[in-house]
Every structure is written in structure tokens, then in C-alpha cells.
């Protein structure tokens, strides 16, 4: 069984949010305050966990 883990490849600060780029080329935005508070968890967690727990939803800033 292969390892299909989608992992964080890059991140950059974009004002009051952080742009996370994943190995599947998907981009997820999180609030900078959340990123600062939970940095270790965000950079090491599975992508689906970040989307579930931290992602900025459409229309949310």
C-alpha cells in the first residue's frame, strides 16, 4: 500500500490570512491568528484536518 498523504509544501503570509500550498497543488487559506496560535499543528496535520478545522470558508475573511 502506497503512502498517499497530501502534505504541506509551502506557505506564505497574505495580509491577515496565510496561504497554504499542498502537494496536490491545492491552496487553502487560514486566518493568520489561527496560524500563529497553532503553527505546529497546522504544518504537521493532514490536509483534510486543516480544511475541517481552520480553512477560511467562501465569503469569510
Amino acid at each position: 500500500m502506497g503512502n498517499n498523504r497530501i502534505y504541506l509544501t509551502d506557505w506564505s503570509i497574505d495580509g491577515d490570512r496565510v496561504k497554504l500550498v499542498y502537494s496536490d497543488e491545492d491552496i487553502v487559506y487560514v486566518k493568520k491568528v489561527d496560524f500563529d496560535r497553532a503553527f505546529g499543528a497546522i504544518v504537521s496535520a493532514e490536509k483534510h484536518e486543516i480544511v475541517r478545522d481552520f480553512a477560511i470558508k467562501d465569503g469569510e475573511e
Side-chain angles (χ1 to χ4, degrees), residues 2-5 7 10 14-15 17-18 20 22 31-32 38 43 57:
N3 182 358
N4 294 328
R5 183 175 190 273
Y7 56 90
D10 195 19
D14 183 14
R17 60 189 189 162
V18 177
L20 306 175
Y22 285 89
K31 293 178 183 176
K32 186 174 181 309
V43 298
K57 310 296 187 261

Side-chain angles (χ1 to χ4, degrees), residues 9-52:
T9 59
D10 195 19
W11 59 269
S12 59
I13 297 172
D14 183 14
D16 61 348
R17 60 189 189 162
V18 177
K19 177 183 177 180
L20 306 175
V21 181
Y22 285 89
S23 59
D24 65 352
E25 300 181 7
D26 199 9
I27 295 173
V28 175
Y29 287 93
V30 298
K31 293 178 183 176
K32 186 174 181 309
V33 67
D34 289 339
F35 185 78
D36 292 343
R37 177 181 51 81
F39 175 79
I42 290 174
V43 298
S44 63
E46 298 273 339
K47 177 183 152 191
H48 72 274
E49 294 170 327
I50 299 307
V51 170
R52 179 192 68 210

Side-chain angles (χ1 to χ4, degrees), residues 55-61:
I56 296 173
K57 310 296 187 261
D58 288 336
E60 179 184 42
E61 286 297 319

